[in-house]
Amino acid sequence: MIYPHFIHQVFFWFFGTIGDWFNWNGVKIGKFSAFCSLLFFPTLVYLYVKFLDKKVMLDKISSLYFLLNSILLMMTLGHDLFIGKPYEIYTAIGTILWVIYLYNDAIKLKWTYKNTLLYGVLAGLMFMVYYLWFIFSAIAFVILGFFTLKTKKELVLYYWRLFQTMIVTFIIGSPFWFPLLKSYKKFGIENWQTAFFDGRGLKLWLPMFSVISYKNILFLIGFCSLIYFRRKKRIQPLVALFITSFVWWIIGMLLLLFFNIPFQEFRGFYIFAPIVLLIACAYGLN
C-alpha cells in the first residue's frame, strides 16, 4: 500500500469512518466535517483547556479561553479556514496551549512520569492530525531555554524533560510516521507540496501596522500585550511562538535566495501567528 505523504491522518480517519457508515461521498463528508468543526470548536477547546488546567493552574485561564474561543478566534480567522483546513486551526491552538502548559511545568522543580505521559500523548495525537506546528514549537522551546533560563542545571533539566516528552510523542505518533518512512524507503519521495512557490511567501506579515480594521486592531492589542506582559511565565511562550513564525520566514527567504528552494515561507503567518496574537489579545483585554 502506498501511503499519501501529506495525509492528516486522525482527522480524515475520523470523518471518513463516519462517512463510510452512512455511505456518503467525499463532498458530503467534507461538508459534515466543516459543520462539526465550526459547531464544536468553542466547546472542544474549552474542554481541552479545562483538562490541562487540572495539571497546571494558571490564573484567569477559564475566562481567558472562553473569551478567545467564543469571540476572537471565530470572528477573526473567518469561516473559510474553518471550512477548508479545520485540522490546522485545531492543532494550532492545541499546540500553542500545549507549549504554554508544558513550558510552565518543565521549569518547575517537580516533574513526574505523569507529566511526561500527559504531554507526550497529547503531542503524539496532535502530531497525527497535523505535524508542522511541532517544528514551530521546537524552535520556540529553544528560544525559551536560551532567554529565560539562567543556570546550566535549569537548562539540563528543562531539555531532559522535553526530550522525555519527545520520545513519548514519537511512540504515540508512530502510526503516522512509521508507514510514511516505509513508503519513502520503498517508493521514494514524491515532489513535496513545499516545493511549490507561492508569492505570499515574499511578504512580511505585519497587519497590525497596516490598514485599520477590527482584525488588525485585535492583532495590535495582542502584539502590545506580548510586549507589556513579556516577563510573565504564561506570556513568555507566546512571545517565543510569535518570534518562531518570523524565524521560519527568514529561513525560507534564505533557502529561496541561496538555494532557489521555496519552502512555504508564509506558513506561520496565516494561522499560527494570528492565533498567538489573539490569545495575547484576550489576555490583555482580560
Side-chain angles (χ1 to χ4, degrees):
M1 180 178 180
I2 302 177
Y3 295 91
H5 296 74
F6 277 85
I7 189 69
H8 310 291
Q9 201 158 319
V10 171
F11 181 85
F12 290 107
W13 276 4
F14 178 75
F15 287 105
T17 300
I18 295 176
D20 187 56
W21 290 345
F22 294 98
N23 198 27
W24 290 343
N25 59 29
V27 175
K28 286 185 177 180
I29 296 174
K31 290 180 177 179
F32 179 72
S33 65
F35 172 77
C36 291
S37 300
L38 281 167
L39 180 64
F40 296 111
F41 177 75
T43 302
L44 289 176
V45 177
Y46 178 77
L47 293 175
Y48 177 70
V49 172
K50 292 295 289 184
F51 172 73
L52 287 175
D53 197 44
K54 297 176 183 178
K55 308 298 178 182
V56 183
M57 293 301 294
L58 299 179
D59 59 318
K60 299 183 179 179
I61 202 75
S62 297
S63 58
L64 164 63
Y65 292 113
F66 176 77
L67 175 64
L68 170 66
N69 299 341
S70 61
I71 301 177
L72 298 184
L73 266 174
M74 298 190 72
M75 180 178 69
T76 306
L77 292 180
H79 293 164
D80 290 347
L81 282 175
F82 276 96
I83 293 173
K85 295 189 174 182
Y87 46 85
E88 290 194 25
I89 295 177
Y90 272 87
T91 50
I93 190 170
T95 304
I96 291 167
L97 297 177
W98 175 80
V99 170
I100 294 172
Y101 284 105
L102 175 55
Y103 169 74
N104 278 272
D105 250 6
I107 61 176
K108 292 182 177 180
L109 291 176
K110 185 179 180 181
W111 176 274
T112 68
Y113 72 93
K114 292 182 179 179
N115 297 97
T116 304
L117 290 176
L118 169 67
Y119 294 115
V121 170
L122 284 176
L125 293 175
M126 288 190 291
F127 184 88
M128 289 194 292
V129 179
Y130 190 72
Y131 49 84
L132 179 62
W133 307 137
F134 286 97
I135 301 177
F136 285 66
S137 300
I139 299 173
F141 280 127
V142 172
I143 294 173
L144 286 166
F146 185 80
F147 286 103
T148 66
L149 301 178
K150 304 301 181 183
T151 68
K152 183 178 179 180
K153 181 180 179 181
E154 288 177 329
L155 280 171
V156 170
L157 208 57
Y158 170 74
Y159 285 119
W160 170 241
R161 290 168 176 177
L162 294 181
F163 178 75
Q164 290 175 315
T165 305
M166 182 189 70
I167 296 299
V168 177
T169 299
F170 276 110
I171 292 173
I172 299 299
S174 59
F176 173 81
W177 62 261
F178 183 70
L180 184 63
L181 290 181
K182 288 182 64 178
S183 176
Y184 288 161
K185 183 178 179 180
K186 186 173 182 179
F187 302 103
I189 299 178
E190 63 182 20
N191 292 326
W192 281 29
Q193 291 181 356
T194 49
F196 300 131
F197 176 74
D198 192 316
R200 290 178 296 174
L202 299 175
K203 186 177 180 181
L204 182 62
W205 186 84
L206 288 170
M208 68 287 290
F209 300 118
S210 58
V211 180
I212 295 178
S213 68
Y214 78 89
K215 292 182 180 181
N216 291 346
I217 290 174
L218 292 176
F219 290 148
L220 181 59
I221 295 172
F223 182 75
C224 293
S225 298
L226 288 180
I227 296 174
Y228 185 78
F229 297 110
R230 66 188 182 279
R231 298 189 185 279
K232 292 186 176 293
K233 292 300 181 183
R234 68 181 62 84
I235 293 298
Q236 286 176 345
L238 293 177
V239 175
L241 289 167
F242 184 67
I243 293 173
T244 296
S245 296
F246 293 88
V247 172
W248 180 269
W249 181 79
I250 291 172
I251 292 173
M253 289 293 100
L254 293 175
L255 287 173
L256 193 61
L257 179 63
F258 293 106
F259 301 101
N260 251 359
I261 300 175
F263 206 69
Q264 294 196 4
E265 304 80 15
F266 62 91
R267 292 297 292 177
F269 291 155
Y270 81 106
I271 288 181
F272 200 77
I275 291 179
V276 170
L277 289 182
L278 291 174
I279 294 177
C281 176
Y283 181 86
L285 293 175
N286 202 32

